Amino acid sequence: MVPNVFPVLISLGVMGLAGIEMDLGMMTFAAVIIGVAVDDTIHFMHKFRMYYAETGDPRIATRRTLESTGAALLFTTLV
């Protein structure tokens, strides 16, 4: 789940370089971004482990996971 922090760090880094001031709203926004990313990661890993246990093949498990949960992950992330 460590990679979930990178989008926030990149966004905050760009904001710092652009001179955008950090306030409570921005910090709350960062917390929401991390929450959504962690939720997506947990959802993906749960399905991946289930399909991997069934097939033993990581490629098939990844494909099935994306087929079954990809749309939901995309929509929750976009929202």
Side-chain angles (χ1 to χ4, degrees):
M1 289 195 225
V2 173
N4 292 328
V5 178
F6 289 127
V8 174
L9 292 177
I10 291 169
S11 299
L12 294 176
V14 169
M15 288 173 55
L17 291 173
I20 299 172
E21 196 168 312
M22 188 61 57
D23 60 2
L24 182 60
M26 289 295 178
M27 294 308 291
T28 303
F29 184 66
V32 170
I33 292 171
I34 292 173
V36 169
V38 168
D39 181 55
D40 287 351
T41 301
I42 291 169
H43 194 78
F44 182 90
M45 292 306 297
H46 172 73
K47 286 292 189 174
F48 175 83
R49 286 182 184 173
M50 183 181 75
Y51 290 127
Y52 185 72
E54 287 177 8
T55 65
D57 186 350
R59 288 184 179 188
I60 294 172
T62 302
R63 191 186 78 231
R64 286 187 182 175
T65 301
L66 291 174
E67 288 172 351
S68 65
T69 62
L73 297 178
L74 176 65
F75 290 131
T76 58
T77 302
L78 290 176
V79 168

